[in-house]
């Protein structure tokens, strides 16, 4: 690491921490059904929650005009105190998003003025700023889908919002790693790089389907492992919920869960393949550490997935499972970087 890059690296890694925190809070928001509590979006006036009881009642009355209250919560003796709870998590999620915007933009301008960024890093940071703005749009695009008729967000939009957050995090980490390890690695191993790229693609597919499972609440059925309900590897419900096989596998609760739980084996298998293939090469310490941690994390994540399913997605396990996906993606990004550059 070059000394002059230290402050830039700290900045980028701080962004990674904030993105991690935002996804964690986003997971809590989803698991507590808080995502539709704020029915509008304003850049400035929503920065802080209502500060008086009158403002709280005004926000609550606005919430009552939308499907989630009219079709679900009106039947649950839903009071202002309940509304304040779900409002907090959605507000906190958006508040962190605003903080991330400031943390990325203000130091970026400062580093530009101080000429601390070279041209390649400037280009990467501009991409990061664009990705952050697009992520904010995806959040509102997702919420809008639950404010019209159906009191639940589209699982496609939720997965897109979640997956793009993971991708933004991974790219931010990659840019930081470029500065942490500025010298080209003479020990680049092309076969391992190829396998690692496939492993990253498989992991992203699994994250996409994790978003589908969350959006459809598909973890609340077939709470058995290693087989689905009735002792079947592929339960008959996988094929009958929707009008076609493709729709069943992307829109049916059973089909989406089947893909997610089954594709987990593929993710584990390709990471194990990378591990055993790496034994044929003389690895650097960073390459070896990256691969070993990656194997450890994928097994932890697999076990967390199993227990989250068996216990019907309790809040704590569901959240830990999502957090571990972040650690797994971090290890995957680090490993790919170390065998590539």
């Amino acid at each position: 690491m070059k000394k002059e890059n230290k402050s830039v690296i700290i900045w980028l890694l701080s962004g990674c921490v904030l993105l991690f925190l935002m996804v964690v809070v986003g997971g809590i928001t989803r698991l507590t059904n808080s995502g539709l509590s704020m029915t509008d979006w304003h850049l400035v006036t929503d920065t802080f929650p209502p500060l008086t009881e009158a403002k709280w009642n005004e926000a609550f009355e606005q919430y009552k005009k939308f499907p989630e209250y009219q079709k679900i919560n009106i039947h649950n003796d839903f009071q202002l105190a309940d509304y304040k709870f779900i409002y907090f998590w959605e507000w906190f999620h958006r508040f962190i998003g605003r903080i991330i915007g400031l943390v990325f933009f203000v130091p970026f301008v400062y580093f530009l003025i101080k000429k601390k960024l070279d041209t390649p890093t400037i280009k990467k940071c501009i991409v990061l700023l664009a990705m952050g703005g697009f992520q904010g749009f995806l959040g509102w695009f997702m919420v809008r889908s639950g404010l019209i008729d159906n009191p639940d967000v589209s699982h496609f939009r939720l997965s897109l919002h979640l997956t793009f957050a993971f991708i933004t995090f991974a790219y931010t980490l990659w840019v930081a790693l470029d500065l942490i390890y500025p010298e080209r690695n003479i020990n680049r191993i092309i076969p391992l790089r190829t396998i690692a790229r496939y492993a990253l693609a498989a992991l992203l597919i699994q994250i996409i389907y994790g978003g589908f499972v969350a959006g459809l609440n598909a973890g609340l059925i077939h709470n058995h492992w290693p087989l689905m309900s009735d002792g079947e590897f592929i339960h008959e419900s996988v094929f009958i919920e929707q009008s076609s096989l493709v729709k069943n596998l992307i829109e049916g609760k059973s089909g989406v869960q089947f893909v997610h739980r089954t594709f987990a084996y593929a993710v584990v298998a390709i990471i194990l393949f990378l591990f055993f293939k790496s034994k044929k090469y003389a690895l650097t310490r960073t390459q070896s550490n990256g691969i070993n941690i990656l194997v450890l994390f994928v097994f932890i994540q697999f076990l967390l997935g199993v227990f989250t399913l068996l216990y019907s997605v309790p809040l704590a396990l569901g959240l830990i499972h999502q957090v571990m996906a972040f650690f797994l993606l971090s290890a995957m990004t680090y490993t790919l970087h170390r065998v590539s550059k």
Side-chain angles (χ1 to χ4, degrees), residues 108 112 116-128:
F108 175 62
L112 278 179
K116 287 182 172 288
L117 304 175
D118 57 23
T119 301
T121 304
I122 291 173
K123 292 178 180 177
K124 294 170 188 174
C125 289
I126 291 173
V127 171
L128 280 174

Side-chain angles (χ1 to χ4, degrees), residues 38-202:
M38 295 178 69
T39 57
D40 207 344
W41 187 89
H42 303 283
L43 183 60
V44 177
T45 56
D46 286 344
T47 302
F48 299 101
L51 300 177
T52 66
E53 201 69 10
K55 288 292 184 182
W56 272 116
N57 281 301
E58 182 181 326
F60 190 31
E61 289 304 315
Q62 186 67 20
Y63 172 72
K64 290 179 179 180
K65 299 176 183 178
F66 289 87
E68 184 174 73
Y69 179 81
Q70 294 175 348
K71 295 184 179 182
I72 299 175
N73 285 332
I74 195 173
H75 305 295
N76 296 331
D77 191 30
F78 195 80
Q79 303 298 321
L80 181 60
D82 304 304
Y83 177 67
K84 287 181 178 181
F85 174 78
I86 64 172
Y87 187 101
F88 169 78
W89 288 113
E90 176 63 13
W91 167 80
F92 192 36
H93 185 55
R94 297 187 190 193
F95 182 74
I96 296 171
R98 288 179 169 89
I99 297 298
I100 290 174
L102 290 174
V103 166
F104 268 98
F105 183 73
V106 175
F108 175 62
V109 173
Y110 171 80
F111 290 136
L112 278 179
I113 294 171
K114 293 293 184 178
K115 300 187 182 336
K116 287 182 172 288
L117 304 175
D118 57 23
T119 301
T121 304
I122 291 173
K123 292 178 180 177
K124 294 170 188 174
C125 289
I126 291 173
V127 171
L128 280 174
L129 288 169
M131 292 175 76
F134 186 60
Q135 178 68 0
F137 164 76
L138 288 177
W140 179 240
F141 181 65
M142 175 189 70
V143 169
R144 282 294 299 166
S145 65
L147 296 176
I148 302 172
D149 298 311
N150 183 25
D152 205 357
V153 300
S154 161
H155 70 289
F156 292 117
R157 297 187 188 187
L158 182 146
S159 185
L160 180 61
H161 183 51
L162 175 68
T163 305
F164 197 75
F166 274 84
I167 292 172
T168 304
F169 167 85
Y171 186 62
T172 307
L173 179 59
W174 187 274
V175 176
L177 290 171
D178 280 345
L179 297 175
I180 293 171
Y181 302 103
E183 304 297 330
R184 297 293 293 184
N185 187 356
I186 61 173
N187 198 44
R188 284 192 301 160
I189 305 172
I190 303 304
L192 295 186
R193 182 184 69 181
T194 301
I195 299 170
R197 285 175 173 175
Y198 282 117
L200 176 60

Side-chain angles (χ1 to χ4, degrees), residues 254-281:
S254 295
V256 162
Q257 192 203 102
F258 171 75
V259 173
H260 190 57
R261 66 191 286 158
T262 306
F263 198 70
Y265 295 107
V267 175
V268 172
I270 193 169
I271 290 176
L272 282 178
F273 180 58
L274 174 66
F275 172 76
F276 288 115
K277 187 75 172 178
S278 71
K279 297 302 179 183
K280 298 181 179 180
Y281 300 93

Side-chain angles (χ1 to χ4, degrees), residues 50 224 317 339:
H224 310 276
L317 269 178
V339 298

